Amino acid sequence: MSPNHEVTEFTPEEIEKIDSLRKRVATNTKLSEDQSSDHYIIKWLRARNMDLDKAEDMLRKSLQWRKDNEVDTILDTWKLPEQFLKKVPFAYLGNDPVSELPVFLFLLGRHDVRSELEALGQEIVLRNNIYIMEYVHKVIFKKCSENLGRPITQFIELIDLEHYSYRQLGNAQCRDTMIKMQDIFDSNYPEVFNYMVLVNAPKIFYFIYNLLKPFVAKATIDKLTIYGPNNWREEVTHRYPMELFPSHWGGTKIGRDEYCSDDPIWMFGLEKNFFKDLEVLKVKARDKVHLEYQILEEGSNLVWKFKSDSHDICFGILHEETEVIPVTRVNSHKEMQSGELECCKVGKYTIVFDNTYSYAKGKQVHHRIEVIKPLTLDEINLD
């Protein structure tokens, strides 16, 4: 006898196909109570556009993958390595008050996958990520379901690409690991994303994303929106519950700093100086500071972020002696300023912090500036 249908949110066609798929698989495979549930079965059908044969094939392959890789017991048998803990900026912020779905924040740009791969190897890195996904399903989803009295099977995520560097983009092993990880998630955790927004994507990321896109399930792509460094805040404020987010992302959650870095929202904790990534520059009253960068390759990108204490400052960029970004007063004391410039010409580029208009107040500017050179054909080869 098939289990009772937990809710009435399924169409008659879905109910019929849920029962059919469950019976097909259960004929020669033992399903757990969770795996027999309507909300588990429907995910595989929806991932394959309600095609019974394709959904059965997908589910059977996933069940075999779980068996081959001992995934069902991974939370009891696998220990996340010390090199991994406190360096993974993954936060469970709570639940969206409207949808009641869990809300996650992942700082992909600050996650040094390359160093992780060099220290641990790809197999362990992949297993660490399977562990996290199983924890989300078996601990967080389960707790949310019990608290809310209904099945929770999806989550909402904000991914921040700030600081996503050439070191990650230009490394073939990093890209290969990303492809394999995405394939594992798409093949074994279907329909888990309700929606996902990526913010602070550097220009070079779009190029890599287009190369990786064929390896990502269409269902995932359809739920994904990508924004650059300057145009994401309104969308995030509109779509996400800001009371759950630290102020760095426009939220109202209060903590030790703008990241709430000491808060238990960070699932594995964070290293003490994890967010100490800005250099401090003092600009005296009636003075200006020039920071010079020699660009040797056309197509390089000059990337910046900065904020000032208490008062605004003027910011601009010169190529040789010509303004390419006019020197203008910006409200860097109210909001982090960030952006990037594609350097179409080689030569000297000068970033200007101008405080000559201030007769009495010196300014302290916290900044990070990077030069990202263009990828070579060898570096973007995915073979």
Side-chain angles (χ1 to χ4, degrees):
M1 180 182 292
S2 14
N4 293 329
H5 296 284
E6 298 95 331
V7 293
T8 58
E9 66 189 54
F10 305 119
T11 66
E13 179 196 6
E14 287 176 330
I15 291 173
E16 181 181 348
K17 289 193 174 183
I18 286 169
D19 286 335
S20 296
L21 180 55
R22 182 166 40 230
K23 288 173 183 176
R24 282 192 187 192
V25 177
T27 53
N28 55 5
T29 304
K30 185 176 181 180
L31 297 176
S32 68
E33 183 178 350
D34 287 341
Q35 291 168 343
S36 297
S37 71
D38 291 354
H39 284 86
Y40 184 83
I41 297 294
I42 192 63
K43 291 157 71 81
W44 306 91
L45 287 162
R46 288 174 176 168
R48 290 297 178 262
N49 297 315
M50 302 307 293
D51 186 307
L52 261 173
D53 292 335
K54 291 180 179 178
E56 179 183 359
D57 180 65
M58 183 185 186
L59 177 52
R60 286 188 181 280
K61 285 179 178 177
S62 179
L63 292 170
Q64 188 61 50
W65 171 81
R66 297 184 71 86
K67 182 179 178 181
D68 293 344
N69 293 280
E70 300 179 333
V71 176
D72 288 331
T73 58
I74 194 171
L75 295 184
D76 298 319
T77 59
W78 185 257
K79 183 178 179 181
L80 295 174
E82 289 297 324
Q83 300 100 308
F84 186 82
L85 294 171
K86 298 189 180 299
K87 293 183 179 180
V88 181
F90 187 52
Y92 168 41
L93 302 178
N95 290 61
D96 178 73
V98 178
S99 67
E100 298 183 321
L101 298 180
V103 181
F104 292 96
L105 171 64
F106 180 39
L107 310 187
L108 177 58
R110 294 177 182 267
H111 185 198
D112 190 352
V113 179
R114 183 168 178 177
S115 293
E116 210 173 279
L117 286 166
E118 291 168 353
L120 302 173
Q122 188 181 79
E123 184 177 344
I124 291 177
V125 169
L126 291 174
R127 196 152 183 81
N128 291 341
N129 282 274
I130 294 169
Y131 179 101
I132 292 174
M133 190 60 91
E134 286 294 302
Y135 184 88
V136 168
H137 279 72
K138 292 182 177 177
V139 178
I140 295 177
F141 280 177
K142 183 178 180 181
K143 185 176 180 180
C144 290
S145 299
E146 291 172 351
N147 290 341
L148 296 169
R150 69 179 182 89
I152 296 296
T153 61
Q154 289 187 317
F155 60 79
I156 298 165
E157 187 167 24
L158 178 69
I159 296 180
D160 190 348
L161 290 161
E162 185 178 37
H163 300 320
Y164 200 73
S165 70
Y166 176 87
R167 188 171 183 272
Q168 310 291 329
L169 290 169
N171 182 262
Q173 190 180 28
C174 285
R175 297 195 303 270
D176 181 61
T177 301
M178 288 172 63
I179 291 170
K180 288 182 177 177
M181 200 177 302
Q182 190 60 52
D183 181 61
I184 288 171
F185 289 169
D186 285 339
S187 300
N188 302 286
Y189 303 96
E191 297 295 307
V192 71
F193 299 113
N194 187 271
Y195 65 84
M196 181 193 305
V197 177
L198 275 67
V199 300
N200 288 315
K203 289 179 182 177
I204 198 170
F205 175 81
Y206 291 92
F207 181 72
I208 296 297
Y209 172 70
N210 286 329
L211 290 177
L212 298 178
K213 206 171 180 180
F215 302 96
V216 182
K218 184 179 183 300
T220 300
I221 292 173
D222 290 343
K223 297 175 182 180
L224 176 66
T225 309
I226 304 176
Y227 290 93
N230 297 314
N231 60 348
W232 57 269
R233 291 188 178 274
E234 183 177 349
E235 175 71 7
V236 167
T237 301
H238 175 68
R239 298 193 69 176
Y240 290 86
M242 286 293 97
E243 66 271 20
L244 302 181
F245 279 80
S247 62
H248 183 77
W249 294 276
T252 57
K253 184 177 178 63
I254 297 174
R256 179 176 66 186
D257 50 35
E258 62 182 306
Y259 308 100
C260 296
S261 58
D262 61 338
D263 196 281
I265 58 172
W266 301 102
M267 289 176 59
F268 308 107
L270 292 172
E271 293 178 324
K272 185 176 180 181
N273 295 318
F274 187 84
F275 291 106
K276 300 285 186 183
D277 56 4
L278 299 179
E279 297 181 40
V280 178
L281 176 71
K282 293 184 178 181
V283 187
K284 296 177 181 179
R286 306 185 189 186
D287 198 4
K288 64 175 70 174
V289 172
H290 289 179
L291 302 178
E292 297 180 353
Y293 297 87
Q294 198 67 33
I295 302 299
L296 303 177
E297 298 179 61
E298 291 182 7
S300 296
N301 281 271
L302 189 59
V303 182
W304 66 88
K305 61 176 282 192
F306 67 91
K307 61 181 180 179
S308 55
D309 293 341
S310 304
H311 300 278
D312 61 8
I313 197 164
C314 285
F315 169 82
I317 299 180
L318 311 177
H319 173 243
E320 303 300 348
E321 302 301 322
T322 304
E323 280 191 343
V324 288
I325 294 182
V327 178
T328 309
R329 286 176 76 164
V330 292
N331 290 324
S332 51
H333 59 306
K334 294 181 178 180
E335 184 177 45
M336 181 74 73
Q337 305 294 307
S338 60
E340 60 183 294
L341 173 70
E342 183 176 357
C343 302
C344 300
K345 299 179 181 179
V346 299
K348 182 178 71 174
Y349 285 76
T350 304
I351 288 183
V352 181
F353 290 107
D354 188 339
N355 194 35
T356 54
Y357 62 90
S358 181
Y359 286 89
K361 295 184 181 296
K363 310 291 172 62
Q364 186 161 275
V365 179
H366 305 264
H367 71 283
R368 178 185 174 108
I369 299 167
E370 294 179 277
V371 175
I372 301 176
K373 65 179 183 178
L375 294 177
T376 65
L377 289 176
D378 287 340
E379 289 170 326
I380 63 176
N381 183 9
L382 292 177
D383 295 334

